[in-house]
Amino acid sequence: MTDQNSDDSDITRTTIEVDRDVWRQVRAEAVGEGKHISEKLEEILEEYFDEDA
């Protein structure tokens, strides 16, 4: 995983490996909602960590 933070913002860019079936599901949901895949992944991660808090 690569962690790149080129400025002082609260955004971190990363590269991950994802199972092909999971990727297809996330991509389909993103397209269905009119979102970019990165937006959908961010939403999923935020929901996941908000539930555990």
Side-chain angles (χ1 to χ4, degrees), residues 27-44:
R27 182 180 63 198
E29 288 183 25
V31 169
E33 296 175 10
K35 297 179 180 176
H36 293 280
I37 297 170
S38 59
E39 292 172 317
K40 185 62 182 178
L41 285 169
E42 183 176 5
E43 178 183 297
I44 291 167

Side-chain angles (χ1 to χ4, degrees), residues 14-50:
T14 189
T15 302
I16 61 171
E17 291 184 20
V18 179
D19 180 82
R20 186 179 307 263
D21 291 334
V22 171
W23 178 253
R24 287 178 179 156
Q25 183 177 349
V26 172
R27 182 180 63 198
E29 288 183 25
V31 169
E33 296 175 10
K35 297 179 180 176
H36 293 280
I37 297 170
S38 59
E39 292 172 317
K40 185 62 182 178
L41 285 169
E42 183 176 5
E43 178 183 297
I44 291 167
L45 288 169
E46 287 174 348
E47 288 175 11
Y48 175 83
F49 284 102
D50 284 345

Side-chain angles (χ1 to χ4, degrees), residues 1-18:
M1 191 162 29
T2 303
D3 201 6
Q4 300 173 345
N5 195 354
S6 60
D7 58 21
D8 292 328
S9 68
D10 289 337
I11 296 174
T12 300
R13 298 191 184 279
T14 189
T15 302
I16 61 171
E17 291 184 20
V18 179

